[in-house]
Amino acid sequence: MAGTTPGPSGTPGTPRVLRAMNDRAALDLLLEHGALSRTRIGKLTGLSKPTASQLLARLEAAGLVVATGTSEGRPGPNAQLYTVNARAAHVAGLDVNGRRIAAAVADVTGRTVGEFELATPGRRTDSVVRQVADALDGAVKDAGLARADIHRIVIGTPGAFDPGTGRLRYASHLPGWHSPTLLDELAAFLPMPVEYENDVNLVAVAEQRLGAARGHEDFVLLWNEEGLGAALVINGRLHRGFTGGAGEVGFLPVPGTPLVRQVVRANSGGFQELAGAQSVPRLARSLGIDTPQQPYAEVAADLLARAAGAYEEDAALTELLRQYAQRLATGLASVTAVLDPGLIVLAGGAVAAGGEVLRSLIQSELAELAASRPRLVVGEIDRTPVLRGALERALADTRDEVFDTSR
């Protein structure tokens, strides 16, 4: 996750650098509050009226702010309002899985202006570069832009690209993405900077910027949808590990399941087998609940939503929720023993479907299994969280570039 915003280039304390710092502070306030008057910007930044006026004139000339109507409903003359120029920059995010690539484009204010989804069935013959380009171009077209208008792209995938070899690891189910030259091919084909991040890490970015982890510098996010994984945020930054595999808790050996050997080749492990979404239909059947097995992520979400709605009214569904909470708490107890987080965010369709009832049961079980007692919350980014995180990550870096007026 992005750390603190780097300061403007130049010698600290010089008028040019101080002006750039004030410019960035004003732009951040406009992003946070929306349209503001010169007087309001002056009060929020502590700048005098003349200095605030000069600042706004400078930002308007640079194309970073635009005048947008006047204030109303207050005594005296209406004040001119200013807002960030949404067209100052655009970024794109891609969310890749084995069935499709979802793409979105956002303007510099963070508003999504274009979306597209490209189906990528396993036997598709198009190259990954072609697939990425088609998905990106679809979102760009939906936004009414051209590819050259995109300042930066962040691509979220399962697993992680090994920083030493460039190969995608921990995601053997993603066809076509394991070539050691893939990143070089994408860099040569796309004209803008491209970054890559684990999809669960991007959910954590979204939750920290906009959701349940706002204001938290240290937390763990547990994701449970088609796969079980975690994101680890320490001192405000993502911890990725030596090969990018930190948080691959699906491979974690846990009580209650046989040891899985050669876990990378099997693309599974103890915790995945114990508490992944595919375990929910099996658990339901063992309790006498008639249910289909596939598609397991959707079936699991439906079962857990039903169980939460019928908690303490239907004996079988109640037991399903209790046993599943215990399974999740079993793996989280190991995570807690190592990391001792103050906050754990539960995200992904399987756990979100259980809602507050499931969260409360996991919290109670974890209190019995772990030495410390982190607070558990349900994630708040319920629509395309990987895409949202990709856009937020791209926006952070792009704003640092575009909003730097010291150059």
Side-chain angles (χ1 to χ4, degrees):
M1 192 171 297
T4 56
T5 300
S9 59
T11 304
T14 62
R16 180 165 65 94
V17 170
L18 292 174
R19 283 196 299 269
M21 293 172 64
N22 288 335
D23 291 348
R24 181 59 192 264
L27 289 164
D28 287 341
L29 286 168
L30 289 169
L31 287 173
E32 180 182 359
H33 296 282
L36 295 172
S37 67
R38 178 202 62 180
T39 300
R40 183 64 175 152
I41 290 174
K43 288 182 178 179
L44 290 171
T45 58
L47 299 175
S48 66
K49 289 183 179 180
T51 301
S53 294
Q54 293 170 6
L55 177 151
L56 286 168
R58 189 164 60 246
L59 292 179
E60 193 170 17
L64 296 177
V65 303
V66 291
T68 174
T70 57
S71 61
E72 297 178 358
R74 295 183 179 182
N78 294 338
Q80 178 69 61
L81 297 177
Y82 295 86
T83 189
V84 171
N85 179 8
R87 298 190 65 82
H90 291 86
V91 300
L94 272 66
D95 172 15
V96 180
N97 66 28
R99 302 183 314 277
R100 56 98 182 110
I101 299 177
V105 171
D107 63 37
V108 77
T109 71
R111 182 173 66 95
T112 300
V113 295
E115 294 179 283
F116 185 77
E117 185 169 304
L118 177 72
T120 56
R123 295 183 179 180
R124 185 181 174 100
T125 57
D126 289 357
S127 71
V128 166
V129 174
R130 184 73 262 162
Q131 292 175 21
V132 168
D134 288 348
L136 172 64
D137 289 344
V140 166
K141 182 179 179 181
D142 189 51
L145 301 170
R147 191 189 292 177
D149 295 320
I150 304 301
H151 283 67
R152 184 179 300 272
I153 301 174
V154 172
I155 299 176
T157 67
F161 286 94
D162 189 307
T165 66
R167 285 182 178 273
L168 183 65
R169 303 191 68 195
Y170 317 110
S172 59
H173 62 293
L174 203 62
W177 283 79
H178 300 88
S179 166
T181 63
L182 175 60
L183 301 189
D184 290 336
E185 292 171 16
L186 285 167
F189 188 79
L190 296 171
M192 69 292 289
V194 184
E195 298 177 35
Y196 305 89
E197 186 59 87
N198 171 263
D199 52 1
V200 181
N201 284 349
L202 291 176
V203 178
V205 171
E207 291 290 352
Q208 189 180 42
R209 300 275 173 83
L210 306 170
R214 279 171 297 183
H216 291 271
E217 293 289 295
D218 299 272
F219 68 96
V220 170
L221 180 136
L222 181 72
W223 174 263
N224 195 358
E225 199 160 280
E226 294 185 352
L228 188 64
L232 318 176
V233 178
I234 302 172
N235 292 329
R237 302 178 67 87
L238 283 166
H239 176 70
R240 297 179 179 85
F242 181 65
T243 64
E248 294 288 344
V249 296
F251 299 135
L252 185 71
V254 292
T257 58
L259 286 175
V260 177
R261 301 187 184 276
Q262 297 185 326
V263 293
V264 174
R265 183 175 298 176
N267 201 38
S268 189
F271 196 20
Q272 179 69 45
E273 294 300 315
L274 181 70
Q278 80 275 20
S279 72
V280 178
R282 293 200 300 263
L283 178 58
R285 290 222 170 162
S286 74
L287 294 169
I289 302 169
D290 186 30
T291 179
Q293 297 291 305
Q294 294 283 352
Y296 59 80
E298 289 84 348
V299 170
D302 178 67
L303 282 166
L304 293 170
R306 285 168 52 198
Y311 186 67
E312 294 188 335
E313 295 178 3
D314 183 292
L317 288 170
T318 297
E319 187 62 18
L320 170 67
L321 208 61
R322 285 176 175 166
Q323 288 194 29
Y324 189 60
Q326 185 180 66
R327 291 180 176 207
L328 287 169
T330 298
L332 284 173
S334 295
V335 174
T336 300
V338 175
L339 295 174
D340 189 22
L343 180 73
I344 296 176
V345 180
L346 304 173
V351 288
E356 179 60 25
V357 180
L358 179 59
R359 184 213 64 80
S360 179
L361 289 170
I362 300 170
Q363 183 86 70
S364 298
E365 288 287 343
L366 191 59
E368 297 292 326
L369 297 173
S372 63
R373 298 189 177 185
R375 183 167 66 94
L376 270 63
V377 297
V378 178
E380 296 177 1
I381 311 298
D382 56 2
R383 182 178 181 273
T384 62
V386 176
L387 266 184
R388 188 67 252 172
L391 292 173
E392 289 298 318
R393 168 79 175 273
L395 283 166
D397 292 337
T398 298
R399 287 167 180 164
D400 285 345
E401 297 171 1
V402 175
F403 288 173
D404 183 358
T405 59
S406 67
R407 290 192 282 264

